[in-house]
Amino acid sequence: MKIAIPTTNGVLSPHFGHCQVFRVFEVEDNKIVNETELVPPPHEPGTFPRFLAENGCNLIIAGGMGSRAQGLFAQNNVKVIIGCRTESLKELVDMYLAGNLKSGENLCDH
């Protein structure tokens, strides 16, 4: 499994489409086995969901995300969790792996 988290200045970006890089955690047997960064292409509507799906991501953990991006992820069978607020990326992954991370209020206003 690959979990992608949009980041800005090394912390969770509050808006998916405005992030600088995606931090990608590879998980096997419920443990993080690798951590890398993906630099996204220039932002245009629909590019980030396609980019992450093409890079094998199965789950996106985000603060906020527009409905179009959520729909594109659903079409590609990529799960999305939104409404996250913590700055610790590893903590978000650990919470998900423990079954304690659920979608909350979307921090995106469109």
Side-chain angles (χ1 to χ4, degrees):
M1 166 183 264
K2 285 187 176 181
I3 301 171
I5 302 176
T7 66
T8 301
N9 298 323
V11 297
L12 176 68
S13 180
H15 191 291
F16 170 79
H18 296 201
C19 74
Q20 294 172 330
V21 298
F22 289 98
R23 189 59 125 173
V24 178
F25 295 84
E26 292 181 52
V27 175
E28 292 178 11
D29 298 322
N30 224 31
K31 293 183 181 166
I32 297 170
V33 295
N34 194 27
E35 184 179 340
T36 58
E37 282 189 351
L38 284 175
V39 177
H43 181 257
E44 293 180 25
T47 57
F48 287 8
R50 182 173 44 254
F51 171 75
L52 292 171
E54 289 171 353
N55 279 282
C57 296
N58 314 94
L59 170 67
I60 311 304
I61 298 174
M65 181 184 300
S67 59
R68 180 171 182 202
Q70 291 180 56
L72 291 169
F73 279 124
Q75 290 174 11
N76 287 289
N77 297 313
V78 176
K79 184 176 179 178
V80 173
I81 297 177
I82 58 172
C84 301
R85 295 181 183 267
T86 184
E87 292 185 4
S88 171
L89 306 180
K90 187 176 179 307
E91 180 182 335
L92 288 170
V93 174
D94 289 340
M95 288 172 62
Y96 174 78
L97 295 174
N100 296 325
L101 188 65
K102 308 289 184 230
S103 280
E105 180 182 346
N106 191 355
L107 303 181
C108 181
D109 59 1
H110 66 87

